[in-house]
Every structure is written in C-alpha cells, then in structure tokens.
Amino acid sequence: MPQEEDLGFQINNLSRMIRRQTDKIAFQNTDGEDDPAVPGNAQQGWIIGYLYHHQDRDVYQRDLQEVFHLRRSTVTGIVQQMEKNGMVIRSSVKQDARLKKITLTPRAVALHESIISGIQKTEEMISKGLTSEEKKAFLLTCQKIRENLEAEDPSRTRKRGPCDD
C-alpha cells in the first residue's frame, strides 16, 4: 500500500500541519514577527496553562513537581528559564520564607490567551466546510483508532483526547 494511504502517515502529517498553523497564529508578537521569548518547549507551555488556570490560589514548585510528575531539579531548571524569559515571578510568602510562590507575568497571561486564540482559529480553519455529520464521523473514527491503540497497550492510562466528545 502506498504511504499516502496509511492512516498513521495522514494523521501524523495533519498533526504537524495543525501545530505549525496554531504556532504561526499564537506565537507572533504584535508586529507579526515571531516572539523569541515564547516557551522553549511544551513543558513550559503546560506550566503556563496550569498557572493560568490556578491564578486563584498560591502555586509552589512542589505543586508543579506533583502535577507534572517531574523531579525537583527539572522543575527548578524550567522555572528559572521561565523567570529569565519574563514569564513567571517567584516571590516569598509570609508564612514560610523558604517557599516561593510562582505567578505568571502579564506577558505570560497574554501568551496563554494568544495560544488559546490560535487553537480556536485553527479549529475554525480545519473544520470549515465540514458538515456536522462529517465531524461526528471523524470523531467516531478517532475514537475507534484510539481504542485500537489502547487495546495493544493496556498499561496506558485512559485519558480524554482531542477527539473525545
């Protein structure tokens, strides 16, 4: 079978195209140029997202270690890089001077919102011209593919994916 007829080949290509399109929309500054201080890796992006959704409470390095199942030294390095890039601020708390609360800078909040906007615009772009029946059929196909893959690897923890309802 030609490579172009392989589902995995097509899914992988679509995934790369979608990521490039989302990045193109989300990671440009107001001048239309790429912003050099955006998160250097996906882990930083996930941390920004976590901090964004937990702005109503104090978040410490140990919280990030637990949530992302990372070693202390790994989180230290990531947070230091994010602080250097102006994405987070570490500040002492009254009850324990050893603890450093991690908060997003306004720049990181704007970046997160830009990423979400980029995802929404990309979603509109990729679903343009599709009927609701086509979208439902595609989502059902994604679910079946995911179930096929999970059946081959029962040790995987079931997580909801982008194709879930």
PDB file of all heavy atoms in Angstrom, residues 127-140 165:
ATOM      1  N   SER A 127     -12.117  22.941  10.429  1.00  0.00           N
ATOM      2  CA  SER A 127     -13.479  22.403  10.345  1.00  0.00           C
ATOM      3  C   SER A 127     -14.343  23.138   9.317  1.00  0.00           C
ATOM      4  O   SER A 127     -15.487  22.742   9.085  1.00  0.00           O
ATOM      5  CB  SER A 127     -14.140  22.420  11.722  1.00  0.00           C
ATOM      6  OG  SER A 127     -14.250  23.731  12.210  1.00  0.00           O
ATOM      7  N   LYS A 128     -13.773  24.160   8.677  1.00  0.00           N
ATOM      8  CA  LYS A 128     -14.530  24.916   7.673  1.00  0.00           C
ATOM      9  C   LYS A 128     -14.947  23.977   6.533  1.00  0.00           C
ATOM     10  O   LYS A 128     -14.144  23.202   6.034  1.00  0.00           O
ATOM     11  CB  LYS A 128     -13.676  26.064   7.125  1.00  0.00           C
ATOM     12  CG  LYS A 128     -14.408  26.948   6.145  1.00  0.00           C
ATOM     13  CD  LYS A 128     -13.671  28.222   5.816  1.00  0.00           C
ATOM     14  CE  LYS A 128     -12.290  27.991   5.270  1.00  0.00           C
ATOM     15  NZ  LYS A 128     -11.630  29.213   4.804  1.00  0.00           N
ATOM     16  N   GLY A 129     -16.192  24.035   6.179  1.00  0.00           N
ATOM     17  CA  GLY A 129     -16.688  23.222   5.077  1.00  0.00           C
ATOM     18  C   GLY A 129     -17.101  21.817   5.467  1.00  0.00           C
ATOM     19  O   GLY A 129     -17.597  21.071   4.632  1.00  0.00           O
ATOM     20  N   LEU A 130     -16.898  21.450   6.717  1.00  0.00           N
ATOM     21  CA  LEU A 130     -17.313  20.123   7.165  1.00  0.00           C
ATOM     22  C   LEU A 130     -18.727  20.207   7.735  1.00  0.00           C
ATOM     23  O   LEU A 130     -19.042  21.121   8.490  1.00  0.00           O
ATOM     24  CB  LEU A 130     -16.374  19.599   8.257  1.00  0.00           C
ATOM     25  CG  LEU A 130     -14.919  19.346   7.873  1.00  0.00           C
ATOM     26  CD1 LEU A 130     -14.128  18.891   9.094  1.00  0.00           C
ATOM     27  CD2 LEU A 130     -14.818  18.323   6.760  1.00  0.00           C
ATOM     28  N   THR A 131     -19.534  19.242   7.376  1.00  0.00           N
ATOM     29  CA  THR A 131     -20.875  19.187   7.948  1.00  0.00           C
ATOM     30  C   THR A 131     -20.780  18.601   9.352  1.00  0.00           C
ATOM     31  O   THR A 131     -19.776  17.988   9.721  1.00  0.00           O
ATOM     32  CB  THR A 131     -21.802  18.290   7.098  1.00  0.00           C
ATOM     33  OG1 THR A 131     -21.311  16.945   7.165  1.00  0.00           O
ATOM     34  CG2 THR A 131     -21.865  18.770   5.645  1.00  0.00           C
ATOM     35  N   SER A 132     -21.843  18.756  10.126  1.00  0.00           N
ATOM     36  CA  SER A 132     -21.831  18.181  11.476  1.00  0.00           C
ATOM     37  C   SER A 132     -21.734  16.658  11.402  1.00  0.00           C
ATOM     38  O   SER A 132     -21.104  16.039  12.253  1.00  0.00           O
ATOM     39  CB  SER A 132     -23.055  18.625  12.268  1.00  0.00           C
ATOM     40  OG  SER A 132     -24.235  18.159  11.675  1.00  0.00           O
ATOM     41  N   GLU A 133     -22.311  16.048  10.368  1.00  0.00           N
ATOM     42  CA  GLU A 133     -22.221  14.599  10.204  1.00  0.00           C
ATOM     43  C   GLU A 133     -20.780  14.175   9.914  1.00  0.00           C
ATOM     44  O   GLU A 133     -20.303  13.159  10.431  1.00  0.00           O
ATOM     45  CB  GLU A 133     -23.140  14.107   9.065  1.00  0.00           C
ATOM     46  CG  GLU A 133     -24.616  14.227   9.353  1.00  0.00           C
ATOM     47  CD  GLU A 133     -25.157  15.643   9.160  1.00  0.00           C
ATOM     48  OE1 GLU A 133     -24.538  16.442   8.417  1.00  0.00           O
ATOM     49  OE2 GLU A 133     -26.189  15.957   9.777  1.00  0.00           O
ATOM     50  N   GLU A 134     -20.061  14.948   9.099  1.00  0.00           N
ATOM     51  CA  GLU A 134     -18.661  14.633   8.800  1.00  0.00           C
ATOM     52  C   GLU A 134     -17.796  14.757  10.053  1.00  0.00           C
ATOM     53  O   GLU A 134     -16.913  13.929  10.289  1.00  0.00           O
ATOM     54  CB  GLU A 134     -18.134  15.541   7.684  1.00  0.00           C
ATOM     55  CG  GLU A 134     -18.723  15.233   6.316  1.00  0.00           C
ATOM     56  CD  GLU A 134     -18.383  16.277   5.265  1.00  0.00           C
ATOM     57  OE1 GLU A 134     -18.310  17.484   5.606  1.00  0.00           O
ATOM     58  OE2 GLU A 134     -18.198  15.883   4.094  1.00  0.00           O
ATOM     59  N   LYS A 135     -18.061  15.808  10.845  1.00  0.00           N
ATOM     60  CA  LYS A 135     -17.305  15.964  12.086  1.00  0.00           C
ATOM     61  C   LYS A 135     -17.571  14.803  13.039  1.00  0.00           C
ATOM     62  O   LYS A 135     -16.644  14.244  13.632  1.00  0.00           O
ATOM     63  CB  LYS A 135     -17.657  17.289  12.767  1.00  0.00           C
ATOM     64  CG  LYS A 135     -17.002  18.497  12.134  1.00  0.00           C
ATOM     65  CD  LYS A 135     -17.381  19.778  12.825  1.00  0.00           C
ATOM     66  CE  LYS A 135     -16.671  19.921  14.138  1.00  0.00           C
ATOM     67  NZ  LYS A 135     -16.839  21.236  14.769  1.00  0.00           N
ATOM     68  N   LYS A 136     -18.848  14.410  13.177  1.00  0.00           N
ATOM     69  CA  LYS A 136     -19.193  13.293  14.048  1.00  0.00           C
ATOM     70  C   LYS A 136     -18.530  12.006  13.567  1.00  0.00           C
ATOM     71  O   LYS A 136     -18.010  11.227  14.380  1.00  0.00           O
ATOM     72  CB  LYS A 136     -20.712  13.109  14.119  1.00  0.00           C
ATOM     73  CG  LYS A 136     -21.405  14.150  14.966  1.00  0.00           C
ATOM     74  CD  LYS A 136     -22.906  13.940  14.965  1.00  0.00           C
ATOM     75  CE  LYS A 136     -23.596  15.085  15.713  1.00  0.00           C
ATOM     76  NZ  LYS A 136     -25.062  14.986  15.624  1.00  0.00           N
ATOM     77  N   ALA A 137     -18.531  11.777  12.257  1.00  0.00           N
ATOM     78  CA  ALA A 137     -17.896  10.576  11.702  1.00  0.00           C
ATOM     79  C   ALA A 137     -16.392  10.596  11.967  1.00  0.00           C
ATOM     80  O   ALA A 137     -15.798   9.564  12.321  1.00  0.00           O
ATOM     81  CB  ALA A 137     -18.173  10.472  10.198  1.00  0.00           C
ATOM     82  N   PHE A 138     -15.775  11.752  11.826  1.00  0.00           N
ATOM     83  CA  PHE A 138     -14.340  11.870  12.082  1.00  0.00           C
ATOM     84  C   PHE A 138     -14.036  11.590  13.550  1.00  0.00           C
ATOM     85  O   PHE A 138     -13.104  10.855  13.872  1.00  0.00           O
ATOM     86  CB  PHE A 138     -13.826  13.249  11.678  1.00  0.00           C
ATOM     87  CG  PHE A 138     -12.359  13.432  11.954  1.00  0.00           C
ATOM     88  CD1 PHE A 138     -11.416  12.844  11.132  1.00  0.00           C
ATOM     89  CD2 PHE A 138     -11.931  14.177  13.032  1.00  0.00           C
ATOM     90  CE1 PHE A 138     -10.063  12.987  11.388  1.00  0.00           C
ATOM     91  CE2 PHE A 138     -10.580  14.331  13.304  1.00  0.00           C
ATOM     92  CZ  PHE A 138      -9.641  13.729  12.476  1.00  0.00           C
ATOM     93  N   LEU A 139     -14.826  12.175  14.450  1.00  0.00           N
ATOM     94  CA  LEU A 139     -14.614  11.966  15.880  1.00  0.00           C
ATOM     95  C   LEU A 139     -14.813  10.499  16.257  1.00  0.00           C
ATOM     96  O   LEU A 139     -14.067   9.950  17.081  1.00  0.00           O
ATOM     97  CB  LEU A 139     -15.523  12.875  16.705  1.00  0.00           C
ATOM     98  CG  LEU A 139     -15.232  14.376  16.570  1.00  0.00           C
ATOM     99  CD1 LEU A 139     -16.297  15.184  17.309  1.00  0.00           C
ATOM    100  CD2 LEU A 139     -13.843  14.707  17.076  1.00  0.00           C
ATOM    101  N   LEU A 140     -15.790   9.850  15.631  1.00  0.00           N
ATOM    102  CA  LEU A 140     -16.018   8.430  15.882  1.00  0.00           C
ATOM    103  C   LEU A 140     -14.821   7.616  15.382  1.00  0.00           C
ATOM    104  O   LEU A 140     -14.365   6.685  16.053  1.00  0.00           O
ATOM    105  CB  LEU A 140     -17.308   7.959  15.201  1.00  0.00           C
ATOM    106  CG  LEU A 140     -17.664   6.484  15.374  1.00  0.00           C
ATOM    107  CD1 LEU A 140     -17.852   6.139  16.849  1.00  0.00           C
ATOM    108  CD2 LEU A 140     -18.919   6.148  14.589  1.00  0.00           C
ATOM    109  N   ASP A 165     -15.609  13.539  22.898  1.00  0.00           N
ATOM    110  CA  ASP A 165     -16.758  14.461  22.987  1.00  0.00           C
ATOM    111  C   ASP A 165     -16.608  15.376  24.156  1.00  0.00           C
ATOM    112  O   ASP A 165     -16.092  15.119  25.140  1.00  0.00           O
ATOM    113  CB  ASP A 165     -18.063  13.679  23.102  1.00  0.00           C
ATOM    114  CG  ASP A 165     -18.325  12.891  21.832  1.00  0.00           C
ATOM    115  OD1 ASP A 165     -18.001  13.339  20.728  1.00  0.00           O
ATOM    116  OD2 ASP A 165     -18.900  11.802  21.975  1.00  0.00           O
TER     117      ASP A 165
END
